[in-house]
Amino acid sequence: MVRLWLAVLVLNLVLIGFVLWALQQSRQQFEQIAAVTADNLSRLMEHDIAASVRVIDLALQSLAEAMEQRGPLRAGDTRELNALLNRKLTQLPELDGLRVADAQGVLTHGTLVNPQSRLSIADRDYFILLRERPDAGLVISSPIQGRITGRWVINFSRALRHRDGSFAGIVQGSVPLSHFIEQFIPLQVGTKGSFTLFDQKFRLVVRHPTPAGTRDAVGMPFGSPELRELVNSGRSEGVYKGRSIIDNIERISAFRHITDTQFYLVLGMASDDYLSSWQEEKYKALIVVLLFILTSLMVCYLIQRAWRNQSVAVRALEQAYRTLDAEKQLNQTIIRSSPFAIYTRDRRGIVTAWNPAAEKLFGWRAEQILGKPLLSVPHDKERETTELRDRVLSGESIIDLEVQRQKQDGTLFDLSTTLAPLRDASGTVTGYLAIAADITARKAAEQQVEFLAYRDVLTGLPNRLLLQDRFGQAIAHAERSHSKVALVFLDLDNFKTINDSLGHAVGDALLREIARRLGECVRETDTISRQGGDEFLLVLSDLAGTEAIPPVLLKIRERLQSPFTVDGHELTTSASIGVALYPDDGRDFETLLKKADTAMYRAKDAGRNHYRFFDEQMNIEAVEHLHLKSGLRRALAQGEFELHFQPQFELASGRVVGVEALLRWRHPEDGLISPARFIPVAEDSGLIVPIGDWVIQEACRQAMAWRAAGLPPLIMAVNLSAVQFRRGEVQQTIAQALQTTGFDPHLLELELTESVLIGDTETVLSSVRQLKQLGVKLSVDDFGTGYSSLSYLKRFDVDKLKIDQSFIRDLASDPDDAAIVRAIVQMAGSLNLRTIAEGVEDAATLALLREFSCDEAQGYHFAQPMAAQAFVDFMTQRAGASSSNEKVGMP
């Protein structure tokens, strides 16, 4: 009897151990799902918050640029500026206010600002930082209580600068802390889930739910030991399990540093929430174990009693029958009350036992299925099922096998089953036992977790993580097959306009339709990914050469240009596309992504709706563009610019009648930089406006200095950039330069390109009339290369035409160029306009220009551009030369 009790004890201990192990494994699965879910949701929140920061920054940048271009505020500007701020505010739902403060920190314009109250923010840390550091860029404040609204907000600010670079104030937008809570509430994180923003000093910014017993949680210490250890180690993201110091609730939490800010977010899922289903499983398992223990103990007790009474054979036999009957009844009780489907089948597959849980799981009642085969195997799984049955009937036990089965009504579902052979008294396998549980919900949860981890929520396309995995597979195949892989960067051209005007719902629907059309343009082996916003990446794999790529890009362009019908709106869009090739342009994902991005921006520069391939020259130009742009502002502040002057000659008399002022940049490291390199960068960045203002002021000053040195009155020709003319206040700049230097306005000649005079005609005409009222002269630069519409010559009261050097260069050898130049000179003469030829480099060209009666010329044949003092020396030498050598073109 001792052995029997020991055997029962060991059996029960083994069962208890197995159940505890299974529960622990199940708990770990629930915790892993919670960790992945929290990490994905935190990733989504960080992406949304970081995107909002970028949008706010771009809005503040555009406001700052607009205000810097306007210059100092004048009477009557207040209403216009407040209207501009209100328009921007309606486009930014994140903000509850946009305001402007002057250089003393006094709020002057914006939401709820009363200029008479002279409310000051000069003591705010963000204002002090922007005032003292010109290069600070976007500054994000710690949480502060607004002095106007009284609400807790985070302020986003950028500095305003005068044209001379001095501090003019700030423009700021305020985001209420409640905005972050509104973003969190829709997330499915359970009844005790939490969301927290905190700063680098582990001070609480905002939390949901609000800590009990506190009205205002801002500034409270925050961070469990686990979180502090992760952040202090320098990590920017991670998942940890810990108990909150705020409400003492244990959670699995994901933390992330929010890009370009000093803030972190923590999103936590409480164990009470994510383990609720596991708790139900635990209680059911404990009930089954308890029933099994009671049954085994009772059986053991009955056997012991039978052995004690074996002296009476009849009583022993009766007792044995009663014991067996009790055991059978107890076993039947366990089977019928089990939450798991339990059934048995014989060697032919006929069902011999069927419990209520099996009825609920499969849909067949016991009287419908007993004595019949179980038709739950889908047609495509029959061979697999036959192999499993043969293994069990040969004596093998199969534990926790995941298979797919179908219910009585044909519905497919996922099943976890354990199969064990049944033996008779002789040990022969007579059939098998099956214990099964429905795991459809768990598999769906796992698939959802996988979707959140590897898919874009809006379009269902692979996200960047999955794209990189597919890219790795593509290049591995390319290595083996010696083929190529293309990484295509696609950016929609006018999506922001659609999003801002029609709303995010229409924008999201358009993105989904674009994703569908892109899928129609590529092969199944290619990958399309949405990177966020209106950017898509494509991996075109297994390419024999580059010739296979343009047809795909043209097909994409055609499909995107076809109108979209979204929510009753007919929309059109296009895309700028950049392409980088493996292994030609790089051998890793990040390198190719940067180069595809560079190529995409080159496509945008080409007028949008284009595609461009990356090449090394493009990379060199991009690096140089960044280098020049970073040095231009410093160059203006530190006086690195200088003017050179090229003489202009009157062909009839040979006299020097004027000079053209040409800008040069003397870089402290790179030496003298040609304007062909840095002028496009200056125009692209907007720095051409203050640089152009300096050129006008310096040219007038230098002209007056020459007069003081005894040189005769000369025309000073100055080029005006199209950007400078449209974005600056050229009239005020020129008037100020003439007033401060005393230069005669009739000697100042402004050179404009044809494209400036053609575009936005009424505005340009108004500006030109104001310039002419000052007394300055106006010439058309590069005449003949643009629109060449003659109607504007009189309308804009032009004084001179400058014939482009592309016609002058081959004048002596190209009859077509000669005909064009002759026609321009004759036309100008009939309109009483003077003409000047640029780029004259030889005597033959000079002779033809005289023959055509061209009025003036300049070029290397006469003199190269020279510094101011060199020009004085040049004029002195000419004055001292003999009359026989004064004539133009003579050595």
Side-chain angles (χ1 to χ4, degrees), residues 251-288:
R251 295 183 176 90
I252 285 181
S253 302
F255 86 94
R256 287 184 176 275
H257 175 246
I258 300 176
T259 306
D260 298 330
T261 73
Q262 69 269 38
F263 301 121
Y264 293 80
L265 69 82
V266 173
L267 189 145
M269 301 184 68
S271 57
D272 290 347
D273 291 326
Y274 67 77
L275 290 180
S276 58
S277 298
W278 178 81
Q279 293 287 358
E280 295 178 4
E281 290 185 7
K282 181 180 70 173
Y283 293 139
K284 291 177 181 178
L286 291 177
I287 291 173
V288 172

Side-chain angles (χ1 to χ4, degrees), residues 40 46 135 219 224 257 289 332 334 354 357 416 448 452 543 600 672 709 721 734 777 852 878 890:
N40 283 322
E46 189 276 333
D135 59 345
S224 64
H257 175 246
V289 170
Q332 289 296 327
I334 293 173
W354 191 258
S416 175
Q448 179 65 15
L452 290 173
L543 301 172
M600 183 274 294
L672 202 61
S721 162
I734 293 175
K777 296 185 181 300
F852 295 161
R878 286 184 59 82
M890 298 294 291

